Amino acid sequence: MEAAAPLLEVEGLEVEFRTRQGVARVLDGIELSLEPGRTLGIVGESGCGKSITALSIMRLVPVPPGRIGAGAVRLKGEDLLQASEKRMREVRGKDISMIFQEPMTSLNPVYSIGDQIAETVRLHEGLSRRDSLDRAIEMLKAVHIPAAERRVREFPHQMSGGMRQRVMIAMALACQPSVLIADEPTTALDVTVQAQVFDLLKELQEKTGTAIILISHDMGAIAEMADRVMVMYAGRIVEEAATDEILESPRHPYTRGLIACVPHMEEEPPPERGALTEIPGVVPALTDLGSGCSFAPRCDHATDLCRSRAPQPFAVDADHRAACWLYGEAGTA
Amino acid sequence: MLLLAVVVFNFILLSLVPGDIADTLAGESGGASQEVMDDIRRTYGLDRPFHIQLATYVGKVVQGDLGTSYYFNMPVTELILGRVAPTLLLVVTALVLAILIGTLFGVIASRRPNGLFSHFVTVLALVGFAAPVFWTAFLLIVLFVAMLEIMPLSGLVDPTTPRGTFSWYLDVLHHLFLPVLSLSSIYLASYSRLARASMMDVLGSDYIRTARAKGLGETSVTYKHALRNAVIPVITIAGLQFSHIFSGAVVVETVFTWPGLGTLAFESILRGDTPTIMGILFFSAMIVIVVNLLTDLTYRLVDPRIRSARNA
Ligand SMILES: Nc1ncnc2c1ncn2[C@@H]1O[C@H](COP(=O)(O)OP(=O)(O)O)[C@@H](O)[C@H]1O
Ligand code: SF4
Ligand SMILES: [Mg+2]
C-alpha cells in the first residue's frame, strides 16, 4: 500500500479573499496527497478553510473576491491550476466530483433528478438521452434508492434530505471519477441517516476504487471513514498522520482539543457528536493573523516563541507531522 | 361569483355619477323640454326604481347581454368584440416584449453585476419607474413622428391600404410600434431590474455551484440552470401587474387614437354612455381572470414544486 503513486497532489496552495476588513489569507501552504482508492479526512472548526481547499482543487473558488495566489494541484501529474477553463470543465464531474453539505439546496428544484444525473453523463460521455436516463436509473439503484424507475422522474422537493444526498452521490459517481470530494456530506442530516450515508460511501468506494476526500468538523465521522487525517486551523495544516496514529497519539494541542471533544468514539453515536466549540476561544480573524502561531491565543502551552514566529510542520514520527513548537526548534525541520 | 360582484359594484358606482343619458342628449341638442327628457328616461328604463334597474341589468348580463350602447345604438357585446382585437394585440405584444427583453437584459446584466450594461439597466429601471406612460408616449412621438418622421402618429392602419393583404399587416405593425414601445417601456424597465436581482440571487445558490461542479459551461449554467429559476418571480409580477398594464393601455390608446377598448372606454365616459362603460369594465374583469389562469398554467410549466402542491 505504501508505494502507490499519488493520484492527487496539492503543493503550497495559497488562497486569498479580498474583504471589507482587508485581504484575508484563507489558505496558506496547504499540502496534501491522495492515493487511488484511499480516503483522506480533512477536519477542523468551521471557517478554517476546508471548503475553500476543496473548491480550489475543483478550481471553483469564486474569483473575485477570491484569488488562488500560489501553489499547484496535480491530478495524475497534470497541474490543474495551469489548465485551461475548457480542460477544467472536462475534469469536473468526470475525474473529480464533489458533493456538498446542503442536500436540500444543492439540487436544482426545477429539473427532475433523472435529468440532473443524466445531464452529467451526456456531458462527459456523450450518451443519448435514452441511454443517459438508463444510467441515471442504474446509479439510483447503486445508491439504494427504492423504486428507481419511478423516482428518476421525481423532483428534489419530493425527496427527504437523506434521499437527496444519495442522489447527489449518484450524480457525483455517475461518470466513475477517480476522486470524490465530500464536503461535510452528512452535517445537515440526522444521526441515523448520517451512518447510512457513510456506509453507502464506503460500499461504493470498495466497488469502484474511487479515492475520497472527506471533509468534516466531526472527528468521529473522520475516524470512521478515513485512512489519513489532515487537521486544519486558520487556513493551515497543523497536523497530519494516519488516522489510528492521530487518534492514539495526537500531538498538536489543537488536535488534542478536537479529540477530547469526541467523548466515546467507539460506542453508539451520541446524539450531538463532537461539536468543536468546546475548545475555549474562537478562530482568529484571517485578515490580521500575526506572525506567530495562530493557535497561540487559545493554547495552554503558548510561549513567547509561539507568539512571535509561526511553527512549520515538524516530523514527530515517521509519516506524522505537527506544526507546533513543542516538536521542533527554530532553525530545524 | 367574483364577476357578479364586479357587475353589481360597477352598476352602483356608475349610478352615483351625476347626470344621465337624457342630460347628455339634451346637452348635445342644445336643451330639451322636461317631457322629452322623461320620454328618453322611460325608453331606457331609467324611470324605474334603482333595485329594479340593477336586477334587470344583472339578469341580462347573466344571459350574455350587456345592453345597448346609448351612443352607437347597437349591442354593447358586439361593440366590444369589434374593439377587442386591437387592444389585445397592443397589450399582449407589449407584455410579451417587456417580459422577453426585460428578462434578457436582466440576465446579461447579472453576468457582470458591476459592468456598464448592469448600470444601464439600473438607470433604465429608474427612468421607467419615474416616467408616466403619457410622457413616454409624447416623447416618442416627438422623436419618431415629429423629428425623424419615420412613424405614423395615430390609428391602427392607413385606411387606403387594402385590408388583409401583406402590406396591410406590415402597416399595422408599423402603426403598432410606438404604442407598444410606450406601453412596454415601464414594464421592460421594471422586469429587467427584477430579472437582474433574481438572477444574481439564483447564481449564488448551491445548485448553481453543483452545476459548475458537474463540468457545465457558463452558458448552460446561466441559461439552463439559473434562468428557469430566475423567471419565476418575473412571471409572478407580470401576472399581478396585468390589470395595471391594461389600464395603461387606455392612456396609450387614447394618445395614439388606437381603435381599441381603451379609446372606446375613454370616449364613452365623455359621452355618458353607461352601458358601454359597464360592459367594458365587465369584460376587463373577465380578461384579468383569464390571465390569472394563464399565469397559473405557466407556473406549472416552469415550477414543478407548484405542480405537485396543487395536485396534492
Ligand atoms: N466568498 C467569500 N468571501 C470572503 N471570504 C470567504 C468567502 N468564502 C469563504 N471565505 C472565508 O474563507 C474562510 C474559509 O472558509 P471555508 O473554507 O468555507 O471554511 P470551512 O472550513 O468551514 O469549510 C472563512 O474564514 C471565510 O470567511
Ligand atoms: S506552537 Fe505554541 S501556541 Fe502553537 S500550538 Fe504549539 S505550543 Fe501552542
Ligand atoms: Mg465548509
Side-chain angles (χ1 to χ4, degrees), chain B residues 124-203:
Chain B
L124 182 79
L126 219 62
V127 174
F129 274 131
V133 186
F134 68 87
W135 184 83
T136 316
F138 283 125
L139 199 76
L140 290 173
I141 288 175
V142 168
L143 183 67
F144 285 99
V145 181
M147 287 168 66
L148 297 175
E149 298 182 15
I150 51 170
M151 287 293 159
L153 173 60
S154 66
L156 172 70
V157 65
D158 191 331
T160 58
T161 318
R163 199 184 163 81
T165 59
F166 180 67
S167 57
W168 186 81
Y169 286 109
L170 268 188
D171 197 41
V172 170
L173 282 185
H174 194 198
H175 281 76
L176 185 63
F177 184 82
L178 286 186
V180 160
L181 200 58
S182 321
L183 187 56
S184 63
S185 60
I186 320 174
Y187 302 97
L188 194 148
S190 71
Y191 296 161
S192 40
R193 210 179 90 117
L194 184 66
R196 174 177 175 271
S198 168
M199 268 304 272
M200 300 210 342
D201 194 38
V202 168
L203 283 174

Side-chain angles (χ1 to χ4, degrees), chain A:
Chain A
M1 281 316 232
E2 215 35 6
L7 172 64
L8 183 74
E9 267 183 308
V10 174
E11 256 174 40
L13 182 66
E14 281 177 24
V15 173
E16 291 174 346
F17 269 87
R18 207 169 303 142
T19 66
R20 269 191 214 99
Q21 289 77 38
V23 174
R25 164 74 50 108
V26 169
L27 294 183
D28 192 359
I30 298 298
E31 314 263 333
L32 69 81
S33 137
L34 181 67
E35 286 152 25
R38 309 303 295 272
T39 300
L40 172 70
I42 302 182
V43 69
E45 276 163 297
S46 168
C48 68
K50 306 179 298 293
S51 295
I52 299 297
T53 304
L55 292 174
S56 302
I57 294 171
M58 301 283 279
R59 237 178 65 193
L60 284 174
V61 174
V63 181
R67 193 174 74 89
I68 298 183
V73 173
R74 273 191 282 277
L75 175 73
K76 295 170 192 152
E78 176 188 10
D79 187 356
L80 297 181
L81 295 186
Q82 306 302 323
S84 68
E85 180 54 32
K86 181 166 171 291
R87 170 72 187 133
M88 278 316 293
R89 290 204 299 269
E90 288 167 13
V91 170
R92 294 181 197 129
K94 173 140 182 67
D95 299 302
I96 310 177
S97 283
M98 189 159 172
I99 59 179
F100 301 95
Q101 178 171 349
E102 283 301 333
M104 301 312 275
T105 51
S106 290
L107 288 164
N108 195 326
V110 301
Y111 292 106
S112 73
I113 57 165
D115 279 346
Q116 294 187 59
I117 300 173
E119 184 181 33
T120 315
V121 182
R122 273 208 308 280
L123 181 71
H124 292 296
E125 299 185 9
L127 292 189
S128 71
R129 249 198 115 67
R130 187 64 258 158
D131 291 348
S132 58
L133 269 176
D134 287 345
R135 173 78 67 84
I137 294 172
E138 213 176 282
M139 289 312 299
L140 290 181
K141 286 181 178 159
V143 297
H144 308 308
I145 289 185
E149 283 87 356
R150 181 170 56 80
R151 304 217 84 169
V152 75
R153 284 190 301 271
E154 288 190 356
F155 290 87
H157 71 274
Q158 293 166 293
M159 304 191 136
S160 67
M163 280 295 163
R164 290 190 209 186
Q165 199 58 295
R166 282 170 195 266
V167 171
M168 284 297 290
I169 294 171
M171 193 159 87
L173 297 181
C175 296
Q176 288 135 348
S178 41
V179 181
L180 171 69
I181 304 176
D183 187 357
E184 312 227 17
T186 62
T187 305
L189 304 174
D190 66 50
V191 179
T192 41
V193 183
Q194 288 188 4
Q196 290 167 5
V197 169
F198 283 134
D199 288 344
L200 176 66
L201 282 174
K202 267 193 243 171
E203 177 199 326
L204 292 172
Q205 181 176 40
E206 264 163 39
K207 264 191 222 158
T208 61
T210 303
I212 296 178
I213 297 180
L214 176 68
I215 295 176
S216 180
H217 63 253
D218 176 357
M219 191 56 114
I222 298 279
E224 238 170 76
M225 294 284 297
D227 303 305
R228 280 186 80 74
V229 181
M230 213 172 91
V231 182
M232 287 183 71
Y233 186 77
R236 295 189 189 172
I237 299 172
V238 295
E239 184 158 8
E240 199 215 325
T243 309
D244 297 342
E245 164 88 5
I246 284 238
L247 291 175
E248 277 156 30
S249 48
R251 301 301 177 90
H252 196 283
Y254 178 64
T255 315
R256 290 186 185 165
L258 288 187
I259 290 173
C261 290
V262 187
H264 306 288
M265 227 144 17
E266 309 298 70
E267 293 174 16
E268 288 292 291
E272 199 71 47
R273 280 211 291 195
L276 299 182
T277 45
E278 292 157 49
I279 302 175
V282 291
V283 184
L286 296 176
T287 40
D288 53 20
L289 288 179
S291 56
C293 171
S294 47
F295 191 59
R298 298 167 76 182
C299 181
D300 293 338
H301 309 279
T303 62
D304 286 344
L305 175 61
C306 301
R307 279 182 279 269
S308 60
R309 285 182 58 189
Q312 57 269 58
F314 299 109
V316 291
D317 213 333
D319 216 24
H320 185 165
R321 281 184 299 278
C324 171
W325 286 122
L326 297 175
Y327 306 102
E329 283 163 26
T332 64

Side-chain angles (χ1 to χ4, degrees), chain B residues 27-92:
Chain B
E28 275 180 8
S29 55
S33 69
Q34 189 62 40
E35 265 163 57
V36 175
M37 303 262 286
D38 286 345
D39 206 40
I40 296 172
R41 291 199 172 109
R42 205 166 314 114
T43 321
Y44 291 106
L46 295 177
D47 55 337
R48 283 184 289 167
F50 177 75
H51 62 275
I52 304 279
Q53 288 185 43
L54 176 59
T56 316
Y57 183 69
V58 172
K60 280 183 172 174
V61 168
V62 170
Q63 291 162 29
D65 178 3
L66 293 176
T68 306
S69 162
Y70 295 158
Y71 183 86
F72 292 96
N73 206 11
M74 64 190 276
V76 170
T77 317
E78 214 172 284
L79 191 59
I80 288 177
L81 288 181
R83 297 286 197 115
V84 170
T87 296
L88 283 186
L89 180 65
L90 173 64
V91 169
V92 172

